[in-house]
Amino acid sequence: MSLMNGAREIFQKAYEELFPRIKQYIIKNSGTSEDARDIFQESLAAAWINLSNGKFTGDGANFNHYIMAIARHKWLNKL
């Protein structure tokens, strides 16, 4: 199953697995839970756009790493 076809499952898994990690990272680095929710949503949107445009061509495991990297960069830019 491609990432585009399995989007629902991938996003469900991202919420379950990645949001707690991103939240922990942001709170540990001077952020709030609200900041974490915002950064997580922005990161998912950016990752989905890049997936839809063909800029990301990896698999599901790499997609999770990709979202984490986007979140870290977004948080550092916000700081």
Side-chain angles (χ1 to χ4, degrees):
M1 168 177 16
S2 75
L3 282 175
M4 292 295 287
N5 292 336
R8 182 180 198 89
E9 293 83 16
I10 289 167
F11 281 108
Q12 179 71 30
K13 189 173 183 177
Y15 273 100
E16 293 170 2
E17 294 180 6
L18 296 180
F19 179 67
R21 291 173 50 198
I22 290 170
K23 182 178 176 182
Q24 179 182 14
Y25 172 79
I26 289 174
I27 289 173
K28 184 178 176 182
N29 290 284
S30 306
T32 65
S33 293
E34 180 79 19
D35 292 328
R37 279 190 292 276
D38 291 344
I39 293 294
F40 183 69
Q41 290 294 327
E42 292 172 16
S43 300
L44 279 178
W48 182 255
I49 289 167
N50 289 340
L51 176 65
S52 299
N53 291 338
K55 292 181 182 177
F56 177 83
T57 58
D59 60 18
N62 289 333
F63 193 62
N64 286 350
H65 292 290
Y66 188 58
I67 294 169
M68 286 294 298
I70 291 170
R72 285 187 191 110
H73 289 288
K74 286 187 172 293
W75 183 244
L76 290 175
N77 284 337
K78 187 170 183 175
L79 288 178

